[in-house]
Structure formats: structure tokens, C-alpha cells
Amino acid sequence: MTNEAMALAIALPLLGGLATAAWPTRSRGIGIGILTVLLSGASVTWLFLLMMSHGEAYQLLGGWQPGLAIVLHADALSTLMLLLTALVTLAVSVYATHYFRSSREAARFWPLWLLLLAALNGLFLSADLFNLYVTLELLGLSAVALTALGGKRESIRAALRSLVVGLLGSLGSRVGVAMLSAAFGTLDRQQVGKRIAVDPASEMALLLMTGGLLLKTALFPLHFWLPAAHSNAPAPVSAA
């Protein structure tokens, strides 16, 4: 049952995002968007209770073996982060139903918002470095699009700046992941953790990945792009 809960935590926001894109008029108020966030929160709560009862769990997707399959992993830390994400996204979603009053604004917001939620859930459940990279990219791209949602010149300029910075950070992370894959023949987190050693390749990969993440997360002193993004993004997006 834990495996089904992990899959639902990612699949529900993705399906909800597709549904809000297909039927935008049904995403306003207590519509598809809010219902999807509630169902996603319920699946995360279910996963947390199962994990507390049965311990951490793994799931292999696609019928492949570890190393090729997409591997999901739920433990105490990841499920705690999922619960925090569910609480924040629920609060933001409730506020967004009043903030985006026009059907046109809501139609643009909800698909991107649910894609961001799916990326966050996938990020916390990913058990290999490649899927961590993929979910970080989905998270960044959806956040950039949400920042530009207002359509004003300042919003678009701030979004483009955050996109360029995010791409630079992604480049560093991607090169670091490629170096680890070449050095150890796997991107599974546990396998890399067992094989990694103090050597130039590992140190360079760690430096590139850490630098890329510092840039993407706007930690001081690499926060130069964040104030404009916050001040020009819609209030629900800035809160998230």
C-alpha cells in the first residue's frame, strides 16, 4: 500500500494539472484545482501513516531493475517534507481561489501550480540523482512561468532573469551528476553513497552540484535575482 501512496502523491497533481488545462472553467473556486490539492494532501498523509507503521519503503517504476528504473523512496524525512509541502500548498491554493478572480487568470495559474506541486512531491520521493535533477528542472520551469503570470514587463523581465540563473545552476548540477555517473556507474543515491571517496572527481562533482543548487535556491550571496522575482510575482506564487 505504501507504493500506491507514493505513486499517487506524484500522479494526482499531474492528472489534476492536465484536467485544469483541459477544463479551465472548472478550476475556479472549489473546483478541480482545490480538489486535486486536497486529494494530494490526503495521499501524502496516508503515506506518512503507512511509513510510520511499516518503516521506509522503495518502489521501482517501469518494471526495470535499480540503476535503470525510476526509484521512489519514502522515509521519515521525505514524508515530513511532503506533509509540509501539502500544508503550504493547501494554504496558498485557498488564498489563490480569491486572488485569481477572473477565469483567464485561474486558467493560467492552476495547471502550472499543480505541476509545481507534482515536481515538489517527486523531488522529495526521488531515490536517484538523475530524477532529483529532472524534478528540480520541472520545479524551476513551473516557478518561472508562475512568476511571469502577471504579464507585465517587470514580471517577464524578472522571470527571464530567474530562468537564466536557474539554467546556469542546472548546468552545474547536470555536469556534477554526469561526473558521478561516469565515476561510479550508477546514480542511485545509496549506491553512490557507498562508493564515493575523497578524490578529485568526487570533489569537483560535489562543488558543481552544490554551487548549482546554491544559485537556484538564491542563498546569500547568490540571491541577487530573487527580490525582483518576489516583488513582481503574484502574491500566491511569492508565498510559495
Side-chain angles (χ1 to χ4, degrees), residues 179-180 183-184 195-206:
M179 291 179 68
L180 291 178
F184 305 113
R195 300 177 188 179
I196 199 166
V198 181
D199 56 60
S202 299
E203 292 175 347
M204 181 58 68
L206 179 63

Side-chain angles (χ1 to χ4, degrees), residues 23 136 213:
W23 298 288
L136 276 171
L213 291 174

Side-chain angles (χ1 to χ4, degrees), residues 71-168:
V71 184
L72 303 181
H73 175 219
D75 59 11
L77 179 60
S78 62
T79 50
L80 175 61
M81 297 303 295
L82 289 170
L83 283 174
L84 290 173
T85 300
L87 288 173
V88 172
T89 51
L90 177 59
V92 171
S93 298
V94 171
Y95 179 71
T97 59
H98 302 281
Y99 185 90
F100 297 106
R101 296 185 179 277
S102 72
S103 57
R104 184 178 182 182
E105 291 176 330
R108 293 175 176 176
F109 171 77
W110 285 107
L112 294 169
W113 178 240
L114 293 175
L115 176 61
L116 184 142
L117 176 57
L120 275 171
N121 289 349
L123 174 67
F124 294 132
L125 289 172
S126 293
D128 66 85
L129 297 176
F130 178 75
N131 289 313
L132 283 174
Y133 167 76
V134 170
T135 52
L136 276 171
E137 288 305 290
L138 289 175
L139 177 64
L141 291 174
S142 56
V144 166
L146 285 166
T147 301
L149 207 58
K152 298 179 181 178
R153 183 187 298 271
E154 293 79 8
S155 301
I156 296 174
R157 183 182 292 116
L160 288 175
R161 181 184 299 175
S162 63
L163 176 62
V164 171
V165 171
L167 290 176
L168 289 174

Side-chain angles (χ1 to χ4, degrees), residues 210-226:
T210 303
L213 291 174
L214 289 175
L215 192 60
K216 289 173 75 70
T217 52
L219 292 181
F220 179 84
L222 303 175
H223 63 297
F224 58 91
W225 61 270
L226 190 60

